[in-house]
Every structure is written in C-alpha cells, then in structure tokens.
Amino acid sequence: EKPDLVMVTGDIVTEDNPQEAFSRLAAIFEKAGIPYAMVFGNHDSEHNLPRKEVAAFIEKLPLCLNKTDHSVEGYTNFVLPVYGKNGKKAALIYCMDSNEYSTLEPLIGGWGWFTHEQVGWYRAQSRKFTAKNDGKPYPALAFFHIPFPEYNNVWNNKTIPPIGVKNEDVCSPEINTGMFAAMLESGDVMGTFVGHDHVNDYIGVHYGV
C-alpha cells in the first residue's frame, strides 16, 4: 500500500521506556516517507512516562502530525484538515483521546470515556468548520481508541449486518457520555475507527455512520 497518511489507533507501547518504542515506530514511517497521526490507547502511558510527556515526545518525531489542543482534556485531541487539489479544505479527520480507565472507581470500573468537556470540544470544532463552509458540514472521519457503547448496536444490526470477525466483547465504557449522539447531530462524521478490541476486525453501520 502507498497511503498518503497513516492513522495509528493506540496501544502501541505497553512497557517501560516508551520513548524507545515510539522512536522505533517513527523510523518505519520515516523510511517510507509517509506522514502519520496517532491517538492514545489506555496502555500507551501506563508506565514510567506520564501521558502529557508521551504526547509532547511523539509530536516532535519526524512526519508525526500530532498537535494536541491543550484547551480540552486529553492529550491526542486535534483536527486534521484534508485539502483538495485546488488547495481548499475538503474534509476533516477528528483525532480524539478516549482516555484510559474509569475515574469513578470503585463505583464504576472498566475503561475510560469521553468527558463532557471533550464532547463540547468536538461540537465546537464541528460548528466552527461548518460555519466556515457556508453552513455545510465537511465530510469527516473520527479516530480514537476505546469504542462507543454503540459498537454493540453495530455488531447486532440485523438490517445491515456487519462484515468481519468479532472474537471478544466490545470493550466500551460502562457509561455513555453522548459523543456518538453529538456526531449524529453535527452531521459531519461518516465513520469512526477504534483500536481497543485487539482481536475484533469488522465494519458495520449504525444510523448511517
């Protein structure tokens, strides 16, 4: 394959010294001459380097397009515009940090979720870009790590059955903070891509997304 861009959906590093591992990863893209962007998984900052410092480190790597928006919670929240041949904006790629683990333990365990602040950030970004495009939403894709609870609906869609394999449960958060609903209401995101369920590989549809 000769892509123009590679998106990395997290859980690249699960041990100490993430600088060494991310540098090795970066060397693959540098050798190929292909730019890439990355959203964090829950494992990428579990060890000897805080998430904030890991984010700062990878942003300096060759061909990495990450540029965290520090106005919102999380460390891989940013938007990549896609330009057409005429040099004008034609589409958007939303990159988002789906966080790590529950912040409400012991009441609620399991995986992290998008905060309401992040949902508001996405809505604001979408409104801004839509307004600049004469009120017409740009076609967009969204990349993050931990799947929405709605991924269960995707797998169970009897009208448009999914294609692919599902070898483990959908490991979504225990609570739903409404990011998928925000995307439906904003009308720009056509597809979402996640990396959390390591042995699931399927594509499906939920309310047109």
Side-chain angles (χ1 to χ4, degrees), residues 40-43 51 73-77 96-101 103 111-115 118 145-146:
F40 280 151
N42 50 293
H43 292 306
R51 211 166 178 83
E73 295 168 298
Y75 294 104
T76 47
N77 298 305
M96 295 185 280
D97 185 352
S98 53
N99 299 304
E100 300 169 89
Y101 300 98
T103 55
W111 313 109
W113 48 78
F114 289 116
T115 66
Q118 287 177 295
H145 182 72
I146 299 173

Side-chain angles (χ1 to χ4, degrees), residues 33-191:
I34 296 171
Y36 67 102
M38 182 185 308
V39 293
F40 280 151
N42 50 293
H43 292 306
D44 289 313
S45 57
E46 286 182 327
H47 294 277
N48 64 326
L49 202 65
R51 211 166 178 83
K52 181 178 180 180
E53 293 182 29
V54 176
F57 178 79
I58 65 174
E59 286 182 16
K60 296 176 183 176
L61 294 172
L63 298 178
C64 181
L65 301 182
N66 280 41
K67 191 171 183 180
T68 293
D69 185 341
H70 293 287
S71 71
V72 65
E73 295 168 298
Y75 294 104
T76 47
N77 298 305
F78 54 95
V79 185
L80 295 176
V82 178
Y83 296 93
K85 291 181 179 180
N86 58 4
K88 293 183 178 180
K89 234 182 247 86
L92 302 173
I93 299 174
Y94 290 103
C95 303
M96 295 185 280
D97 185 352
S98 53
N99 299 304
E100 300 169 89
Y101 300 98
S102 168
T103 55
L104 294 177
E105 291 181 337
L107 178 65
I108 298 174
W111 313 109
W113 48 78
F114 289 116
T115 66
H116 288 292
E117 182 180 314
Q118 287 177 295
V119 176
W121 174 84
Y122 158 72
R123 286 184 183 275
Q125 296 294 319
S126 181
R127 280 196 304 268
K128 178 183 73 174
F129 284 109
T130 297
K132 290 181 178 179
N133 195 37
D134 297 324
K136 181 182 178 182
Y138 285 105
L141 301 177
F143 291 84
F144 44 97
H145 182 72
I146 299 173
F148 297 136
E150 286 89 352
Y151 268 62
N152 285 296
N153 300 96
V154 171
W155 182 255
N156 294 318
N157 189 333
K158 303 295 191 238
T159 305
I160 308 175
I163 298 169
V165 296
K166 180 174 179 284
N167 293 319
E168 64 174 312
D169 291 339
V170 176
C171 295
S172 57
E174 292 294 316
I175 60 175
N176 192 331
T177 51
M179 183 67 90
F180 183 73
M183 290 177 176
L184 287 183
E185 291 169 355
S186 298
D188 53 358
V189 173
M190 304 183 301

